Amino acid sequence: MPEWKYTNKTVTKEEAEKSLNAVKSACFHCESHGSGCPISKTAGEIKAMMEEEA
């Protein structure tokens, strides 16, 4: 199971996917995603966490 690095909490794949969908729904769909975008950064971190477990 993936582990969220900020709290060391182990989460299920379903929880991670649900969180990723929530973050994506908060996106403003800007024309470009800058490295300073916290929404894009969080989505990327969740994806990376899920890939580590695959």
Side-chain angles (χ1 to χ4, degrees), residues 31-49:
E31 290 182 26
S32 64
H33 290 280
S35 61
C37 175
I39 294 171
S40 180
K41 180 178 185 265
T42 302
E45 290 178 349
I46 294 171
K47 284 181 191 177
M49 174 185 70

Side-chain angles (χ1 to χ4, degrees), residues 15-54:
E15 289 174 315
E17 288 174 349
K18 185 177 178 181
S19 292
L20 180 58
N21 289 334
V23 170
K24 285 181 175 180
S25 72
C27 179
F28 294 116
H29 304 286
C30 300
E31 290 182 26
S32 64
H33 290 280
S35 61
C37 175
I39 294 171
S40 180
K41 180 178 185 265
T42 302
E45 290 178 349
I46 294 171
K47 284 181 191 177
M49 174 185 70
M50 292 169 61
E51 289 172 358
E52 288 175 2
E53 286 297 313

Side-chain angles (χ1 to χ4, degrees), residues 1-13:
M1 287 208 254
E3 185 175 286
W4 187 234
K5 67 181 182 179
Y6 294 104
T7 62
N8 298 322
K9 179 184 178 187
T10 301
V11 297
T12 65
K13 182 179 177 184

